[in-house]
């Protein structure tokens, strides 16, 4: 949850991270980065609360919290569709079980009656592992760096695993353990024989670029183990991980060809028709030439002067007119 809040906070910076004149694709040829995260671990088992006895039932389930730190990598196989991914990280995976089925009778000296003594049994194991995770990421939406991932996990213990079994009195309030004179006592502790973790995982993530080469990668993942955590007892686990990685992920620059310019429409030249010159032999005036022009365009109205036939004087009645 913290990872997604950070991403929402940093998202506005990504809007100003890229040069507006340059466009980048959503897929990169490769990426590598540093990852941190937190895990919520769910445990299921059929371990007896009292070894070899069913008086207090069995540990059935429990929840614990862990942390992780490591490296992530990705190599693109099919651009904007498929890539091979890996995770290599140190995981702190404590396992915890508890049961509230243990009940006995205790004598209340004040009321001189027997009350039910309820005891909570806790079984905790400290597990530190090196996790190797190989998988494939799929990008379902083109040009959007949102991915769904499937992978296989293998975890190998790097430290000596220890365990501790404790009891806590839930009720009545006046009851205490005589050995510790408190409501809690340790039953036993020591080293435990654990198995390597073998499991599968699925996740959903997104690359949020803050620059053309640097990206934040929030991811939510679920992992299920196939084998028991302990060699001599049945104890399986699953985890829900919230991860955040800072990755070097160089995007490829998109070079778009320039759009061709639309051709400008050139109007056709006006059609000209020149008639043979006409000579007015009976006029005492220079030779006049008549020229006929046929045009396909429009122009403002021009003033014209009308003459009578074989006359050089304008018409007295019509004078000048605009046609």
């Amino acid at each position: 949850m913290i990872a997604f809040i950070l991403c929402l906070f940093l998202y506005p910076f990504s809007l100003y991270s890229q040069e507006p004149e340059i466009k980048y694709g959503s897929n990169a040829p490769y990426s590598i980065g540093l990852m941190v995260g937190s895990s919520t671990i769910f445990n299921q088992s059929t371990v007896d609360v009292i070894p070899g006895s069913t008086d207090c039932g069995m540990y059935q389930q429990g929840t614990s919290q862990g942390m992780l730190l490591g490296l992530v990598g990705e190599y693109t196989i099919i651009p904007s569709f498929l890539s091979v991914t890996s995770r290599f990280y140190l995981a702190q995976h404590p396992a915890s079980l508890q049961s509230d089925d243990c009940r006995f009778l205790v004598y209340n000296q004040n009321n001189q009656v027997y009350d039910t003594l309820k005891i909570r049994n806790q079984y905790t194991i400290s597990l530190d592992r090196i996790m190797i995770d190989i998988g494939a990421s799929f990008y379902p939406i083109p040009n959007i760096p949102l991915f769904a991932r499937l992978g296989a996990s293998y975890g190998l213990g790097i430290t000596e695993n220890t365990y501790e079994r404790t009891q806590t009195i839930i009720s009545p309030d006046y009851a205490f353990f005589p050995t510790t004179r408190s409501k809690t006592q340790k039953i036993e502790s020591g080293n435990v024989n654990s198995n390597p973790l073998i499991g599968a995982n699925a996740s959903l993530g997104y690359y949020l670029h803050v620059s053309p080469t640097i990206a934040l990668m929030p991811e939510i993942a679920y992992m299920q183990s196939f084998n028991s955590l302990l060699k001599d007892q049945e104890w399986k686990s699953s985890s829900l991980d919230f991860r955040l990685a800072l990755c070097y992920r160089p995007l490829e620059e998109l070079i778009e060809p320039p759009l061709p310019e639309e051709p400008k429409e050139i109007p056709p030249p006006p059609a000209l028709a020149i008639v043979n010159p006409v000579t007015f032999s009976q006029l005492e005036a220079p030779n006049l030439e008549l020229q006929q022009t046929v045009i396909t365009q429009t122009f403002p109205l021009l003033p014209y002067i009308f003459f009578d036939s074989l006359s050089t004087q304008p018409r007295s009645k019509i004078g000048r007119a605009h046609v």
Side-chain angles (χ1 to χ4, degrees), residues 207-280:
Y207 283 102
L208 181 62
H209 273 267
V210 296
S211 78
T213 57
I214 303 299
L216 291 174
M217 186 195 72
E219 182 181 21
I220 181 172
Y222 177 81
M223 183 181 65
Q224 176 66 54
S225 65
F226 296 148
N227 61 331
S228 176
L229 300 179
L230 305 180
K231 292 183 178 181
D232 53 353
Q233 294 174 321
E234 185 66 20
W235 187 335
K236 293 184 178 181
S237 68
S238 59
S239 66
L240 182 64
D241 299 344
F242 294 92
R243 307 169 181 173
L244 179 64
L246 180 64
C247 300
Y248 175 75
R249 187 173 186 265
L251 295 177
E252 295 182 351
E253 181 180 344
L254 296 180
I255 302 177
E256 298 182 356
L259 297 177
E261 296 183 0
E262 296 183 1
K264 297 181 179 180
E265 184 178 355
I266 301 176
L272 300 178
I274 301 176
V275 301
N276 294 326
V278 178
T279 302
F280 299 91

Side-chain angles (χ1 to χ4, degrees), residues 5-315:
I5 294 176
L6 288 174
C7 289
L8 292 176
F9 175 77
L10 293 173
Y11 177 74
F13 294 98
S14 66
L15 301 178
Y16 302 97
S17 60
Q18 300 183 12
E19 300 180 27
E21 295 82 5
I22 301 177
K23 294 184 178 181
Y24 297 90
S26 63
N27 195 83
Y30 66 92
S31 70
I32 186 171
L34 180 66
M35 175 183 67
V36 296
S38 63
S39 301
T40 300
I41 305 159
F42 308 97
N43 302 277
Q44 308 89 29
S45 79
T46 56
V47 178
D48 293 330
V49 173
I50 300 177
S53 175
T54 59
D55 292 342
C56 288
M58 294 183 298
Y59 295 106
Q60 294 182 354
Q61 59 185 4
T63 305
S64 54
Q65 300 294 323
M67 302 292 293
L68 58 91
L69 173 66
L71 301 174
V72 296
E74 181 176 8
Y75 184 79
T76 298
I77 302 298
I78 303 177
S80 298
F81 180 71
L82 176 64
S83 61
V84 176
T85 58
S86 63
R87 311 280 190 268
F88 182 80
Y89 58 95
L90 172 65
Q92 181 190 34
H93 277 176
S96 178
L97 296 172
Q98 72 178 29
S99 174
D100 297 339
D101 296 334
C102 199
R103 289 174 171 81
F104 301 97
L105 293 178
V106 62
Y107 183 70
N108 188 340
Q109 296 181 355
N110 296 329
N111 298 333
Q112 297 182 352
V113 295
Y114 285 94
D115 294 328
T116 301
L117 178 66
K118 296 182 180 180
I119 297 177
R120 173 174 296 161
N121 288 271
Q122 192 85 16
Y123 189 178
T124 304
I125 299 178
S126 176
L127 297 174
D128 295 329
R129 296 190 178 98
I130 287 291
M131 298 294 298
I132 302 174
D133 183 352
I134 304 296
S137 294
F138 303 90
Y139 293 82
I141 306 175
N143 300 324
I144 296 180
L146 172 71
F147 64 86
R149 182 179 182 274
L150 298 176
S153 302
Y154 180 80
L156 184 63
I158 59 174
T159 60
E160 193 173 30
N161 299 319
T162 60
Y163 77 95
E164 182 178 83
R165 300 165 76 108
T166 60
Q167 288 183 327
T168 302
I169 296 177
I170 301 175
S171 65
D173 294 336
Y174 61 83
F176 297 91
F177 289 110
T179 56
T180 61
R181 295 184 180 181
S182 66
K183 287 186 173 295
T184 302
Q185 70 172 359
K186 181 191 296 185
I187 301 176
E188 61 178 350
S189 62
N191 298 327
V192 65
N193 294 324
S194 61
N195 291 318
L197 184 145
I198 300 175
N201 62 84
S203 64
L204 188 67
Y206 184 84
Y207 283 102
L208 181 62
H209 273 267
V210 296
S211 78
T213 57
I214 303 299
L216 291 174
M217 186 195 72
E219 182 181 21
I220 181 172
Y222 177 81
M223 183 181 65
Q224 176 66 54
S225 65
F226 296 148
N227 61 331
S228 176
L229 300 179
L230 305 180
K231 292 183 178 181
D232 53 353
Q233 294 174 321
E234 185 66 20
W235 187 335
K236 293 184 178 181
S237 68
S238 59
S239 66
L240 182 64
D241 299 344
F242 294 92
R243 307 169 181 173
L244 179 64
L246 180 64
C247 300
Y248 175 75
R249 187 173 186 265
L251 295 177
E252 295 182 351
E253 181 180 344
L254 296 180
I255 302 177
E256 298 182 356
L259 297 177
E261 296 183 0
E262 296 183 1
K264 297 181 179 180
E265 184 178 355
I266 301 176
L272 300 178
I274 301 176
V275 301
N276 294 326
V278 178
T279 302
F280 299 91
S281 57
Q282 298 180 0
L283 291 177
E284 296 181 358
N287 294 336
L288 297 178
E289 292 184 0
L290 297 181
Q291 184 179 24
Q292 180 182 5
T293 302
V294 179
I295 59 175
T296 59
Q297 295 174 309
T298 58
F299 298 93
L301 295 177
L302 298 177
Y304 289 87
I305 300 176
F306 295 89
F307 296 87
D308 292 330
S309 177
L310 302 179
S311 174
T312 59
Q313 296 296 326
R315 293 180 182 178

